[in-house]
Amino acid sequence: MSSTEISYDKIMLECRLIFEKKMTDYGTSWRILRLPSLTDQIFIKAQRIRSIQELKIKRINEGEYSEFIGIINYSIIALIQIEKGVANTPEMKRKEALSLYDKNFSTAKNLMLNKNHDYDEAWKDMRVSSLTDLILQKILRVKQIEKNKGKTIMSEGVEANYLDMINYGIFSLIHLNSKRDNLINPNKR
């Protein structure tokens, strides 16, 4: 198993744990959200990350890290909503929600492994700010596809964009973890 895969799996578990805890607090209330609402929620989080990166000042005691987790989890929720459809009531059994969460995360991971092979881990040389911009670009693509009522002529659909947002979010978290580790232990390099 590569170091990327090990780091990916650690973050995947962290995101899943947060998803589970929030499901304990809120249930599956997200089941009533339509796709454009989820896209907007991801946009808000990505825009906040960009604002933190540019201004270096924040008034809310949450930083980039938690916002990237939000992007990842909302992207997975969007993929579940695409598969299951929007519900009028938020009822979904916990076991089913976690199973769908795991299935979609597995799909994202397999895509990452394939692209990571073909791109020779180019993400490792990217900046977190560039990954943030790519997430914002993917959101704008999804919004355009939504305006086009889901129709594309030549491009991938919304699912591919959400999967990419998951992976860009994880790459960002791997970078942030590495940066934090280097600050704590500068001789670890």
Side-chain angles (χ1 to χ4, degrees):
M1 190 179 290
S2 71
S3 66
T4 296
E5 195 171 353
I6 291 167
S7 296
Y8 191 101
D9 287 347
K10 283 180 184 175
I11 290 170
M12 190 166 71
L13 288 173
E14 184 178 1
C15 291
R16 188 184 195 275
L17 182 62
I18 289 169
F19 180 81
E20 276 188 273
K21 286 180 178 180
K22 289 202 176 206
M23 201 165 40
T24 298
D25 289 345
Y26 304 129
T28 55
S29 58
W30 49 266
R31 288 286 292 129
I32 66 159
L33 293 172
R34 294 171 286 186
L35 213 51
S37 299
L38 288 164
T39 305
D40 286 344
Q41 187 64 37
I42 296 166
F43 174 75
I44 289 167
K45 294 195 167 299
Q47 193 61 45
R48 180 160 187 271
I49 292 167
R50 187 170 171 155
S51 175
I52 291 168
Q53 291 168 345
E54 289 179 357
L55 300 176
K56 309 281 189 234
I57 299 169
K58 58 183 181 191
R59 293 185 178 179
I60 298 171
N61 194 22
E62 287 183 351
E64 294 175 76
Y65 199 90
S66 62
E67 298 293 7
F68 279 117
I69 290 173
I71 288 169
I72 292 163
N73 282 342
Y74 276 115
S75 295
I76 291 174
I77 288 169
L79 292 168
I80 294 171
Q81 292 294 76
I82 290 168
E83 180 180 340
K84 299 298 285 181
V86 175
N88 291 327
T89 59
E91 299 305 318
M92 178 183 270
K93 295 204 181 300
R94 181 182 185 88
K95 186 176 181 179
E96 180 184 7
L98 289 172
S99 175
L100 289 166
Y101 184 93
D102 292 341
K103 178 184 126 187
N104 282 290
F105 227 136
S106 178
T107 300
K109 181 180 175 184
N110 288 331
L111 176 66
M112 179 279 296
L113 290 170
N114 290 331
K115 284 187 172 184
N116 204 33
H117 174 271
D118 290 355
Y119 288 93
D120 197 27
E121 296 200 310
W123 68 270
K124 286 184 173 183
D125 294 321
M126 293 178 70
R127 298 172 187 93
V128 174
S129 60
S130 297
L131 292 163
T132 302
D133 289 350
L134 288 171
I135 291 170
L136 282 164
Q137 179 192 41
K138 294 288 181 178
I139 294 164
L140 295 175
R141 287 179 178 182
V142 169
K143 285 183 172 208
Q144 185 60 50
I145 294 170
E146 289 169 353
K147 281 183 191 173
N148 296 342
K149 305 209 182 323
K151 303 254 189 290
T152 57
I153 296 171
M154 193 172 167
S155 306
E156 299 171 312
V158 293
E159 293 94 339
N161 286 285
Y162 286 121
L163 289 167
D164 284 342
M165 285 187 253
I166 291 166
N167 287 327
Y168 294 152
I170 289 179
F171 293 155
S172 297
L173 292 175
I174 292 170
H175 279 309
L176 291 173
N177 279 338
S178 176
K179 188 175 174 181
R180 185 194 69 221
D181 290 348
N182 287 336
L183 288 173
I184 293 169
N185 186 1
N187 298 325
K188 190 178 177 184
R189 296 177 199 179

